[in-house]
Amino acid sequence: MKKILVLSLFAVAAICGACGKDSIGTKPMLTFLSYSSSPVIASIGMDVNFQVKDGDGDIENSFNFAAIYDTKPLDTAFESRPMPGVDAHKGTNLTAEVILHLQPTDFPQTGDQPILKDSLHYLVFITDNAGNISDTIVTPKLEVLYQ
């Protein structure tokens, strides 16, 4: 009888533990997927693709990113862009692909002489409507060509 009780408790604990691993939680998660081009031509711009996951589906607050140029070190100043509307998913688990559209103006040139080529990577995080902030991720390094 005691063996059956111990085995039953072990089975219930294993099932509950497995269910807990599937839960996303309220903190949004962000994963880099790809760049639309590599290298990027600054006068054209590009898209950066990410996967977002959120346990309560309210990730429509802000998409925050900072471009880190290797030849032009600056303070990390994050820009904020609105997230796409996902009203239909409020209160449910959400997994979606989000695209950050970068225009030619997002690739500034410095000084009097144009930069011929440079490399950069991005620091990115998202904020949901409840104020939960994802971890900040770092995208892979990317060559930028100025023409």
Side-chain angles (χ1 to χ4, degrees), residues 47-66:
D47 293 337
V48 187
N49 301 304
F50 297 93
Q51 181 183 56
V52 294
K53 293 182 181 183
D54 190 36
D56 52 7
D58 65 343
I59 60 160
E60 49 196 19
N61 192 333
S62 65
F63 199 104
N64 307 283
F65 66 98

Side-chain angles (χ1 to χ4, degrees), residues 7-59:
L7 289 175
S8 296
L9 289 175
F10 180 72
V12 170
I15 291 170
C16 290
C19 293
K21 291 179 184 178
D22 292 339
S23 176
I24 294 175
T26 58
K27 180 180 175 180
M29 295 187 300
L30 181 67
T31 306
F32 170 80
L33 293 177
S34 65
Y35 292 119
S36 63
S37 65
S38 180
V40 62
I41 298 172
S43 61
I44 296 174
M46 73 167 175
D47 293 337
V48 187
N49 301 304
F50 297 93
Q51 181 183 56
V52 294
K53 293 182 181 183
D54 190 36
D56 52 7
D58 65 343
I59 60 160

Side-chain angles (χ1 to χ4, degrees), residues 5-143:
L5 181 61
V6 171
L7 289 175
S8 296
L9 289 175
F10 180 72
V12 170
I15 291 170
C16 290
C19 293
K21 291 179 184 178
D22 292 339
S23 176
I24 294 175
T26 58
K27 180 180 175 180
M29 295 187 300
L30 181 67
T31 306
F32 170 80
L33 293 177
S34 65
Y35 292 119
S36 63
S37 65
S38 180
V40 62
I41 298 172
S43 61
I44 296 174
M46 73 167 175
D47 293 337
V48 187
N49 301 304
F50 297 93
Q51 181 183 56
V52 294
K53 293 182 181 183
D54 190 36
D56 52 7
D58 65 343
I59 60 160
E60 49 196 19
N61 192 333
S62 65
F63 199 104
N64 307 283
F65 66 98
I68 308 298
Y69 288 86
D70 293 333
T71 60
K72 186 182 85 166
L74 294 175
D75 290 336
T76 305
F78 283 88
E79 288 188 50
S80 183
R81 302 266 169 94
M83 289 288 286
V86 289
D87 294 334
H89 296 284
K90 285 186 179 178
T92 63
N93 282 344
L94 171 70
T95 300
E97 185 173 329
V98 177
I99 300 172
L100 174 62
H101 298 286
L102 297 173
Q103 303 297 323
T105 55
D106 291 316
F107 300 94
Q109 297 187 32
T110 60
D112 295 333
Q113 297 181 351
I115 300 170
L116 298 177
K117 71 178 184 177
D118 200 1
S119 61
L120 67 92
H121 62 275
Y122 292 94
L123 302 178
V124 185
F125 68 92
I126 59 175
T127 306
D128 68 12
N129 289 344
N132 299 312
I133 300 171
S134 72
D135 290 336
T136 301
I137 65 168
V138 179
T139 65
K141 191 181 287 190
L142 174 71
E143 183 179 15

